[in-house]
Amino acid sequence: QHLPARLPAENLTTVYTFSPFHPMTVKLLMVSAFKEFLEDPLAYTIVKNTPIASFISPNMMSLFGVLVAASSVKFFINENLRHRQIGVLMFKIRDLIDSLDGAIARERKNTHNVGMIADPTSFGWMLDARSGRSRKSSKLVVTAWWIQQKEEDFTA
């Protein structure tokens, strides 16, 4: 399949149509369907239809996502099922926040039509990568706690 080259926007009136299949990149091949078909389009819609990009920076959104991930761990490790369900919901909200920081960055740079192209030299790219690692660390903490609980239940 031969796709035409995508060039950066010349002005702010460039029309962008969301398509989960164009352009097909390595990143899109590794992304979950939930993120690709729900979180990213929802984040794009929120950014395009609200003034959120004008008063919240992508870096602020990334840091907020780290706080939500850290607080969701507190709910995950609770014995109460309702608290665990709240932890799952908070974690999905954190995933939406992760999509929002990228959509805000693309909105501020007016590069929605270019797609998800990383700028490894920027501070935002580094911060976003670190916030992604905090998400994985949160999952690791919860998994370790769960395994410890199951071992205690099994040996008791």
Side-chain angles (χ1 to χ4, degrees), residues 8-17 44 48 107 109-113:
E10 294 295 324
N11 57 33
L12 297 176
T13 59
T14 302
V15 177
Y16 173 74
T17 304
Y44 172 77
K48 279 300 191 182
E107 178 69 17
K109 292 180 180 178
N110 193 30
T111 58
H112 278 293
N113 64 329

Side-chain angles (χ1 to χ4, degrees), residues 51-141:
I52 191 170
S54 62
F55 61 89
I56 295 180
S57 74
N59 295 341
M60 287 173 47
M61 194 59 78
S62 292
L63 291 175
F64 182 63
V66 169
L67 292 175
V68 171
S71 59
S72 70
V73 170
K74 177 74 174 157
F75 285 93
F76 271 124
I77 62 176
N78 195 303
E79 292 294 326
N80 187 334
L81 177 63
R82 179 66 60 194
H83 285 126
R84 289 183 186 174
Q85 291 169 338
I86 291 170
V88 170
L89 180 63
M90 287 177 69
F91 214 81
K92 290 317 293 175
I93 290 170
R94 183 259 168 275
D95 289 344
L96 176 63
I97 290 169
D98 186 43
S99 293
L100 272 171
D101 72 1
I104 291 171
R106 285 186 292 279
E107 178 69 17
R108 285 186 165 198
K109 292 180 180 178
N110 193 30
T111 58
H112 278 293
N113 64 329
V114 178
M116 298 180 195
I117 297 175
D119 179 11
T121 61
S122 71
F123 176 75
W125 182 83
M126 185 273 307
L127 183 64
D128 189 51
R130 299 304 183 271
S131 72
R133 287 191 183 106
S134 75
R135 180 188 67 194
K136 292 175 181 126
S137 299
S138 299
K139 286 181 182 178
L140 181 65
V141 166

